[in-house]
Amino acid sequence: MSQSSARILILDDDPDVACAAQMLLRRRHGAVATLDDPARLDALLAAGVPDVVLLDLNFTPGRIDGAEGLALLDRLRALPQAPAVIVLTAYADVPLAVEALKRGAGDFITKPWDNARLLAAVDAALARRGASTDGVDASLMGDSPAMREVKSMIASVAPTMANVMVLGENGVGKELVARAIHAASMRAKAAFLAVDMGAVPEATFESEMFGHRRGAFTDARADRAGRFQAAQGGTLFLDEIGNLPLAAQAKLLTVLERRQVTPVGADRAEPVDVRIVSATNLDEARLFDAALFRTDLLFRLNTIVIRVPPLRERRGDIPALLHHYLSLYESQYARPVRELAPGALDRLCAWDWPGNVRALRHACERAVILGNRPDYHVDDFGLTAPPAAMPAPAPAGEEFKLGALERDTIAAAMEQASGNISMAARLLGLSRAALYRKLGKHGI
């Protein structure tokens, strides 16, 4: 599998744990550093802030209160370009996990971890890092009528207890809408926890979402908090809810109706108090297809629906977004401030931006890094037309090279999705697991 350009730091005083995580992540991400002494963190940060930090909560032998790790979390989140933080802990302590989430951690992993779960957590952290590093809600920037309506709806619904469903294409900023709702709600001081439902294996859905008890199944070596318990009192953001299998939908519906969860292996239910904000890129009409999504669950989730427009429908917001992201990356990479070349802005505003604000952000980062002229030209942004749905067939009489065709199709989908596994899998009509296997098969 090809390696990403992400920079990952594992901050853990146990060399065996750090080495195991490093070896796992290096298969997908080339730059994976380890650090066992928090006193050396400042020197490492001086050389560049990582994209994701896997942070242990305890460094002094015998301590299990997590105070050391929480202090480091505060330091990391206070950085100008703060990394996404995934907390590592050997103790499935719900209050400690909730406190870490309140302070800005994006997720928590209990040691010993499941490899697929750790990889999914890092992928999700990288996917949403752009939102967390911009400071304000950059993807919601703009004064177009469509964005004014979105912001007005956020202001109206945030103070209520209503569940909200956010609809929109990939890259429009659905999670930022969810975060804005949480920040303006009465739950703002509690945890906000985002879960990519497409990355939760169906076989472990109940354990991931509702928790489990020690001994409930093989490798259940300790009690573990589920996502509902970790978000207690706060907001649980169920991203890509349209990817949830029907059987898992039924289990989620039961929890929403009863307001309680039963951990795997437990003999009694536990009450939960969370606000649900969900999101999907599915066409709205498909949500009403009973073969894909339970109607009773849909009505539980879509009390309020917020539709986030694609960038091509609010082209007037593109200049402000370009300025924001170019300035952001000029500062981040210590590059000179440059203007757009004559005519470039018109062409960039005319572009349809498949991938929306996320694609624009990546294009701006590319232009800042690779542009070597006094101003930015359109070709600095690396814009390419979306790939055709199917590769052209080989000329008559030639042998079909199915392997090459499959590899080219997958590579094109990955490029269109800007490396987002979930989006590429949907474009190809594959599950995430199947896509991972094919990526490994073709060395992509």
Side-chain angles (χ1 to χ4, degrees), residues 391-406:
E398 288 192 13
E399 178 185 359
F400 281 98
K401 301 186 182 299
L402 294 179
L405 289 174
E406 182 179 69

Side-chain angles (χ1 to χ4, degrees), residues 38-60:
R40 294 161 44 207
L41 179 60
D42 287 339
L44 187 145
L45 294 176
V49 177
D51 297 297
V52 177
V53 175
L54 274 63
L55 175 65
D56 190 19
L57 287 180
N58 296 290
F59 292 87
T60 302

Side-chain angles (χ1 to χ4, degrees), residues 1-2 27-28 406-407 410 414 421 432-444:
M1 187 176 299
S2 62
R27 289 185 287 176
R28 189 173 306 170
E406 182 179 69
R407 186 188 190 286
I410 292 172
M414 288 293 290
I421 295 293
R432 284 170 57 94
L435 178 55
Y436 277 132
R437 288 193 295 270
K438 290 182 181 296
L439 290 170
K441 170 186 172 183
H442 294 291
I444 298 176

Side-chain angles (χ1 to χ4, degrees), residues 105-127:
D107 205 344
F108 69 97
I109 297 289
T110 303
K111 297 184 286 187
W113 59 74
D114 173 78
N115 284 348
R117 171 79 182 89
L118 179 58
L119 289 170
V122 172
D123 286 346
L126 288 169

Side-chain angles (χ1 to χ4, degrees), residues 262-277:
T262 303
V264 179
D267 56 6
R268 66 180 63 182
E270 302 174 359
V272 288
D273 173 25
V274 296
R275 183 184 192 176
I276 300 295
V277 180

Side-chain angles (χ1 to χ4, degrees), residues 232-256:
Q232 184 77 354
T235 301
L236 186 60
F237 175 53
L238 305 180
D239 198 8
E240 304 300 351
I241 190 71
N243 289 341
L244 198 60
L246 286 171
Q249 290 179 30
K251 297 170 184 175
L252 178 60
L253 175 63
T254 299
V255 169
L256 297 183

